[in-house]
Amino acid sequence: ISSYNGPTGWLGKKPLQEYVTALQTAQGQTGLQYSSRYIGSMVGDVHRTILYGGIFGYPADTKNKDGKLRLLYEAAPMSFLIEQGGGLSLTGKTRIMDLKPQKVHQRVPFLAGSYDDVMEMRSYYDACEDPEIIKRCLARLEGDSD
């Protein structure tokens, strides 16, 4: 199951667009076609992802280039719970739990789910050569995402 907020502005982000297309067309690593479900509540969507597997995303988009979820009281606590259950959560390339908060309301993209699904999604970001995406990923890691 894949669950993403959108698809307003993030479809233009090539790594995520390619990954979601691969899931929808059964061309991902599992060879299974993923269904899409999004109920609009991160807690509900992540709960379903933990129970049944898959990936949940609240990625950056054209309106919110640094994502919409706040690192300190949305992304990091949910990431902690997901990782305790054996999953993983990233901003695209960077593990959310590795980010050092720079301000109270700092926002980050949020992509989380089963370890294997998230690592497959990350491989699309690792292969991306878009200088804007690389710059934003590095800035987030260095705590310079303003």
Side-chain angles (χ1 to χ4, degrees):
I1 298 173
S2 67
S3 176
Y4 290 93
N5 175 50
T8 53
W10 65 266
L11 282 177
K13 305 299 180 224
K14 191 173 182 178
L16 191 55
Q17 182 181 21
E18 289 176 351
Y19 175 65
V20 171
T21 300
L23 292 179
Q24 292 172 340
T25 59
Q27 295 176 358
Q29 290 177 356
T30 65
L32 301 173
Q33 184 175 13
Y34 281 41
S35 60
S36 296
R37 302 280 184 273
Y38 181 75
I39 60 175
S41 165
M42 180 172 68
V43 172
D45 282 319
V46 169
H47 179 256
R48 185 191 54 246
T49 300
I50 290 170
L51 288 176
Y52 302 110
I55 190 161
F56 168 80
Y58 212 121
D61 59 25
T62 53
K63 184 178 176 185
N64 303 290
K65 291 193 183 285
D66 285 319
K68 193 165 183 184
L69 298 182
R70 274 70 56 107
L71 176 61
L72 281 177
Y73 44 92
E74 292 170 325
M78 192 61 74
S79 296
F80 177 80
L81 294 173
I82 289 167
E83 290 191 7
Q84 293 306 300
L88 182 64
S89 55
L90 306 174
T91 63
K93 286 189 174 195
T94 306
R95 181 175 166 255
I96 289 177
M97 296 304 290
D98 288 340
L99 295 174
K100 293 180 183 170
Q102 300 301 308
K103 53 188 176 182
V104 175
H105 302 295
Q106 178 181 350
R107 295 176 187 267
V108 295
F110 184 82
L111 302 160
S114 72
Y115 184 85
D116 291 340
D117 285 331
V118 174
M119 288 306 290
E120 179 182 359
M121 182 270 313
R122 182 182 174 167
S123 71
Y124 285 78
Y125 277 88
D126 288 343
C128 176
E129 296 179 3
D130 182 327
E132 180 184 335
I133 291 174
I134 293 168
K135 180 180 175 185
R136 276 201 320 270
C137 288
L138 291 174
R140 247 181 245 114
L141 188 57
E142 295 166 3
D144 207 14
S145 64
D146 285 339

